Amino acid sequence: MLKENKRTLIVTSVVTILPILAGLFLWDRLPDPMATHFGMNNQANGFSSKIFAVFGIPLFCLAMEWVMAVVTSGDPRKKNISRKLFVLCLWIIPVVSLVCAAVIYPYNLGIPMDISFFMELLLGAMFIVVGNYLPKTRQNYTIGIKMPWTLANEENWNRTHRMGGYLWIAGGFVLIVLTLTGRLQGAWLVGISLFLAFVPCIYSWWLHVRNGL
């Protein structure tokens, strides 16, 4: 799997560490320490050294991407993981790395921005994209809703991922609409995210208990 997607892995790795180049370009204008974590009120509540913010975060993302790629390629059921799904997974961490830089650098340069609005839209979009792929995900040990019941029964896996996919797409649209209308509060964000995470798991258990799947 790694050999077939070597070019994509190289491209995504380069994209993941692009924020380092931006950080070096802005080095003299960036403060030390830098704000690297923010609350729902758009205020910084966590700080790191400039070296960690510029180098550490992208390199950590790069390490996570390679771990994900190696682990996924070693999945005993990797033949069930489509190339499109693997490529999607490879692009998730580079996007996260770029988004982190797009938030951290402007904030520390004193450029006003609504961080919560930006991140909420991104979260909604990610739910929609991932939800679109869930029903197409075949049984494996690395990617998907990996519960004891989904891994033990292929029909349980398929039905859980089909329901979960539709639910995540709907949830993503709800998050985006609430964000655009200014009605998404912190409690709602946490509640919706937990709902989308746990309902498919409960549904998988229910299929096992009720239908023996």
Side-chain angles (χ1 to χ4, degrees):
M1 185 173 289
L2 286 179
K3 291 182 179 179
E4 294 84 345
N5 297 279
K6 180 172 63 175
R7 180 176 298 180
T8 301
L9 183 57
I10 293 174
V11 171
T12 54
S13 296
V14 171
V15 172
T16 300
I17 60 175
L18 280 180
I20 294 179
L21 298 180
L24 290 174
F25 179 77
L26 299 169
W27 186 267
D28 292 334
R29 298 170 56 190
L30 294 171
D32 192 4
M34 291 174 59
T36 53
H37 192 275
F38 310 89
M40 292 293 294
N41 59 355
N42 291 317
Q43 297 300 311
N45 56 15
F47 296 84
S48 303
S49 67
K50 181 159 61 172
I51 291 179
F52 178 82
V54 174
F55 293 96
I57 294 177
L59 290 177
F60 175 77
C61 289
L62 180 64
M64 291 299 296
E65 180 181 13
W66 274 85
V67 168
M68 185 279 299
V70 172
V71 170
T72 304
S73 66
D75 192 308
R77 295 180 176 176
K78 62 183 178 183
K79 291 183 179 180
N80 286 349
I81 302 175
S82 68
R83 184 179 184 276
K84 287 184 178 180
L85 183 60
F86 185 66
V87 169
L88 172 66
C89 292
L90 287 180
W91 275 106
I92 289 177
I93 294 179
V95 170
V96 170
S97 179
L98 292 179
V99 169
C100 287
V103 169
I104 292 174
Y105 290 159
Y107 184 92
N108 284 278
L109 291 173
I111 300 174
M113 60 186 304
D114 192 339
I115 298 174
S116 295
F117 179 83
F118 188 55
M119 299 304 292
E120 289 160 4
L121 284 181
L122 177 64
L123 182 61
M126 289 185 64
F127 273 123
I128 293 173
V129 172
V130 176
N132 180 62
Y133 276 89
L134 278 181
K136 307 169 188 176
T137 306
R138 298 171 60 191
Q139 203 174 35
N140 70 90
Y141 294 105
T142 310
I143 302 172
I145 304 170
K146 300 180 294 297
M147 301 298 293
W149 314 287
T150 57
L151 293 174
N153 186 284
E154 187 172 2
E155 185 175 351
N156 187 304
W157 173 284
N158 293 335
R159 292 174 64 172
T160 298
H161 282 72
R162 184 163 54 248
M163 187 280 288
Y166 296 146
L167 183 67
W168 280 33
I169 291 174
F173 277 113
V174 169
L175 285 176
I176 290 176
V177 170
L178 290 177
T179 299
L180 293 176
T181 57
R183 298 179 179 178
L184 184 62
Q185 303 298 321
W188 276 100
L189 177 61
V190 174
I192 292 174
S193 299
L194 290 175
F195 180 82
L196 297 179
F198 283 105
V199 167
C201 300
I202 296 173
Y203 178 69
S204 173
W205 170 82
W206 180 82
L207 287 175
H208 172 72
V209 173
R210 182 69 179 271
N211 300 325
L213 299 179

